[in-house]
Amino acid sequence: MIKRIKIVNLLKSKDYGKVVNVKGWVRTKRGSKNVSFIALNDGSTINNLQVVVDHSVLMEEILQPVNTGAALSITGEIIQSPGSGQSVEVNAKNIEILGLADPDEYPLQPKKHSLEFLREIAHLRFRTNTFGAIARLRHALIFATHKFFNDKGFYNIHSPIITGSDAEGAGQMFRVTILDPKNPPLNDDGSVNFHEDFFGKATNLTVSGQLEAELAAMGLSEVYTFGPTFRAENSNTSRHLAEFWMIEPEMAFYDINDNMDLAEEMLKFIIKYALDNCSDDLAFLNKRLLEEERSKKPEERSPMELIEKLRFVLENKFERITYTQAIDILKDSNPNKKKKFQYVIDKWGIDLQSEHERYLVEKHFKKPVIVTDYPKEIKAFYMKMNDDGKTVRAMDVLFPQIGEIIGGSQREEIYDSLLKRMREMNVPEKELWWYLETRKFGTVPHSGFGLGFERMVQFITGMGNIRDVIPFPRTPLNAEF
Ligand code: 4AD
Ligand code: MG
């Protein structure tokens, strides 16, 4: 048996004359009476292997049913490529057809397909250059995230996916139940009796692993979660998913400044990892984006190419401003005065929309911005109150094209202050007895944040729509595949 070699390794090899086996899917087939060329891809790299089929060795008839999308096992000799570009080709000695793809039915052809069309065939889109590159990058970024935290001595914590409380108030939740929707057990007042449900109480899919991460940080010092989170809001935007992955570090003994330093360091580490380890895929995505930009109006084009933009973020310190400063800048801005914003900024206290965040980043500072000290009314109950009694130690990291990529804060560690905020904001203190107890026993200042992983992948791949950076997106009215 001749051992199979992955194309990524084969293309680096210089073992000319060696006979190897490769397996993969046909991207293109072309040729003449005497010789055929097959571009084969096995997903291990964006680059195809050129397979040369000499018809004096292998009859043309063998390739007759082979089209784009067919799966082949090819045994042949490594040869030096006569053409420029790639250095290695394979001279086929034997071809086994593993699976054919009928060209009348197979929807992927060697031409450009729209991203919208590819979303409808998400079961096949891994076989395209774009989605292969995104999948490999996504993997690399997951790995880089774990490496970053592991190297710093953080412990990965699995927070629960099913939770018994809408602790965060971060958004609408998906109910988890085994009760019969047609005939649920009822209380005397007609409401559903969840005591008879699987867990003996109403449960939901989690919107965040933060509260559990805080419990772990109160014994392990530095931890992080990296898990799926679910939000049932009806947001049909290019930056919202109903199911997305979030990275949530939580650190004892960190204040808001330590928290910002960690967020900036982490984002830069992950971006650098991509630049250092995914150059082929990034070069492809860079080119793809350039082509896409060309079809836009000049004023809508990005001022930087993808790779240039990633380098730029690495090399510049993020701007740090308070919410109050942000409001002053926005109030005075041209789009605000000319009423170009959909939501006009007229007073202190209102929440920033993505259009405002992007103005600060893309037009005003022209680099990532961290906004801190938001009004307490627009942030979660657990954020540490500032001495002014009006603002909390929140921090949002804003990125070009994305807007908010990270949300976090220093946490309120004083029992009485936390309880007061919970009561003011109608957070059920009984349900969160365990959360409150951490403030009763050995409480310490601590901080944490959440990075939306898909928004990060969007930024690094330059993909405009979040549905294209997760293999199987879940959005309102869409849970196919
Ligand atoms: O700002 P959020 O809601 O913060 C939290 O959930 C905190 N518990 C985090 C923490 O302090 N541990 O969400 C954090 C990030 C956002 O900045 C955004 O990047 C991403 O999660 N995010 C979403 N990504 C995709 N689709 C959605 N619907 C998202 N909602 C939030
Ligand atoms: Mg947020």
Side-chain angles (χ1 to χ4, degrees):
M1 261 295 276
I2 295 156
K3 250 188 102 172
R4 173 186 167 224
I5 180 169
K6 283 201 188 184
I7 290 174
V8 66
N9 297 326
L10 177 56
L11 291 177
K12 283 187 248 170
S13 132
K14 291 212 158 44
D15 289 336
Y16 307 124
K18 190 177 170 189
V19 175
V20 291
N21 173 260
V22 285
K23 293 182 168 69
W25 293 268
V26 175
R27 287 294 176 82
T28 56
K29 181 188 86 172
R30 63 192 169 82
S32 62
K33 240 171 76 148
N34 299 329
V35 62
S36 292
F37 300 97
I38 293 170
L40 198 73
N41 191 286
D42 66 0
S44 61
T45 159
I46 187 121
N47 299 310
N48 298 330
L49 172 72
Q50 165 136 294
V51 178
V52 186
V53 188
D54 181 340
H55 295 315
S56 64
V57 180
L58 283 173
M59 290 201 305
E60 202 187 342
E61 286 68 47
I62 298 174
L63 290 183
Q64 200 275 324
V66 170
N67 290 293
T68 295
L72 301 179
S73 171
I74 295 171
T75 302
E77 189 183 327
I78 303 179
I79 53 171
Q80 198 164 3
S81 174
S84 57
Q86 247 129 74
S87 59
V88 167
E89 298 179 356
V90 160
N91 218 337
K93 296 193 176 311
N94 185 51
I95 295 181
E96 184 192 344
I97 296 171
L98 300 175
L100 291 173
D102 182 343
D104 294 332
E105 283 184 60
Y106 187 59
L108 285 172
Q109 293 306 320
K111 61 160 200 172
K112 226 180 163 54
H113 294 289
S114 77
L115 296 172
E116 289 79 9
F117 172 70
L118 292 174
R119 254 170 248 152
E120 290 168 18
I121 52 163
H123 59 305
L124 298 171
R125 66 180 180 170
F126 294 105
R127 302 183 191 191
T128 65
N129 282 332
T130 300
F131 287 91
I134 294 166
R136 282 184 296 270
L137 261 157
R138 199 180 148 104
H139 166 82
L141 302 181
I142 294 167
F143 185 77
T145 302
H146 286 299
K147 177 165 169 50
F148 174 76
F149 286 117
N150 184 64
D151 289 355
K152 284 180 117 33
F154 281 58
Y155 302 114
N156 182 218
I157 298 291
H158 285 154
S159 48
I161 290 165
I162 300 173
T163 62
S165 54
D166 174 12
E168 278 265 346
Q172 290 285 79
M173 305 186 90
F174 290 99
R175 166 88 4 113
V176 177
T177 181
I178 57 163
L179 296 179
D180 179 359
K182 279 199 288 237
N183 189 22
L186 298 177
N187 295 311
D188 291 342
D189 65 0
S191 60
V192 175
N193 180 4
F194 285 105
H195 292 301
E196 292 196 23
D197 206 346
F198 188 87
F199 296 103
K201 64 198 286 194
T203 51
N204 299 294
L205 294 178
T206 186
V207 294
S208 157
Q210 177 195 326
L211 301 192
E212 289 86 358
E214 281 190 57
L215 311 181
M218 290 302 111
L220 295 163
S221 288
E222 293 171 334
V223 301
Y224 69 106
T225 71
F226 191 160
T229 46
F230 307 87
R231 300 197 182 175
E233 350 156 48
N234 198 359
S235 312
N236 253 311
T237 81
S238 60
R239 283 181 294 275
H240 286 88
L241 291 165
E243 175 182 294
F244 65 100
W245 291 71
M246 192 162 27
I247 298 157
E248 294 184 278
E250 194 67 38
M251 301 75 64
F253 319 116
Y254 275 49
D255 68 12
I256 181 85
N257 292 310
D258 303 323
N259 205 23
M260 284 193 272
D261 291 344
L262 183 76
E264 184 165 345
E265 191 187 342
M266 177 187 77
L267 289 166
K268 287 180 171 172
F269 179 92
I270 296 173
I271 292 169
K272 183 163 188 321
Y273 188 90
L275 283 167
D276 290 347
N277 294 279
C278 308
S279 49
D280 286 354
D281 287 323
L282 279 177
F284 171 81
L285 291 167
N286 194 73
K287 210 171 96 216
R288 195 199 80 83
L289 202 62
L290 270 180
E291 280 162 22
E292 198 181 88
E293 292 276 309
R294 251 181 240 131
S295 63
K296 289 187 188 164
K297 291 190 218 125
E299 66 270 21
E300 284 171 8
R301 282 180 204 160
S302 160
M304 276 187 216
E305 289 184 22
L306 178 64
I307 293 174
E308 197 186 356
K309 186 185 73 182
L310 298 179
R311 292 234 165 80
F312 179 82
V313 168
L314 275 192
E315 285 157 12
N316 286 281
K317 193 158 169 41
F318 298 0
E319 192 71 35
R320 298 181 183 188
I321 60 168
T322 64
Y323 166 88
T324 305
Q325 289 170 318
I327 289 290
D328 288 344
I329 293 166
L330 289 165
K331 245 198 218 153
D332 272 350
S333 69
N334 266 329
N336 200 54
K337 288 193 213 144
K338 291 186 183 150
K339 301 212 158 40
K340 286 263 167 65
F341 285 141
Q342 205 185 335
Y343 297 89
V344 174
I345 301 272
D346 50 4
K347 58 172 187 292
W348 191 94
I350 56 170
D351 207 355
L352 301 183
Q353 304 295 327
S354 149
E355 57 179 345
H356 309 129
E357 297 171 340
R358 292 185 58 175
Y359 175 84
L360 290 170
V361 172
E362 291 164 25
K363 297 281 182 322
H364 190 85
F365 289 109
K366 299 195 163 64
K367 58 177 167 167
V369 178
I370 310 183
V371 182
T372 59
D373 304 289
Y374 284 76
K376 63 175 192 232
E377 286 80 12
I378 56 173
K379 289 293 179 188
F381 73 94
Y382 50 70
M383 297 191 180
K384 174 109 187 124
M385 187 71 70
N386 279 315
D387 293 338
D388 61 12
K390 278 172 26 188
T391 58
V392 289
R393 266 172 229 174
M395 55 165 237
D396 278 7
V397 182
L398 314 180
F399 257 38
Q401 277 116 56
I402 305 291
E404 180 192 332
I405 196 163
I406 280 181
S409 74
Q410 186 171 333
R411 317 305 189 190
E412 184 57 79
E413 85 281 17
I414 301 167
Y415 184 88
D416 291 337
S417 312
L418 181 62
L419 191 61
K420 181 163 166 270
R421 281 306 283 154
M422 288 171 85
R423 289 184 178 159
E424 281 169 5
M425 296 180 79
N426 292 320
V427 178
E429 60 195 81
K430 278 216 185 77
E431 262 179 43
L432 289 181
W433 63 273
W434 41 270
Y435 185 71
L436 272 159
E437 279 205 348
T438 55
R439 274 65 172 174
K440 233 159 66 182
F441 309 129
T443 191
V444 298
H446 63 288
S447 301
F449 60 83
L451 167 67
F453 183 64
E454 281 74 23
R455 293 196 185 171
M456 175 84 193
V457 183
Q458 257 192 295
F459 179 72
I460 292 181
T461 58
M463 299 303 289
N465 195 315
I466 200 164
R467 293 167 175 81
D468 296 328
V469 297
I470 187 163
F472 305 108
R474 265 75 184 111
T475 51
L477 301 179
N478 173 32
E480 194 68 48
F481 309 108

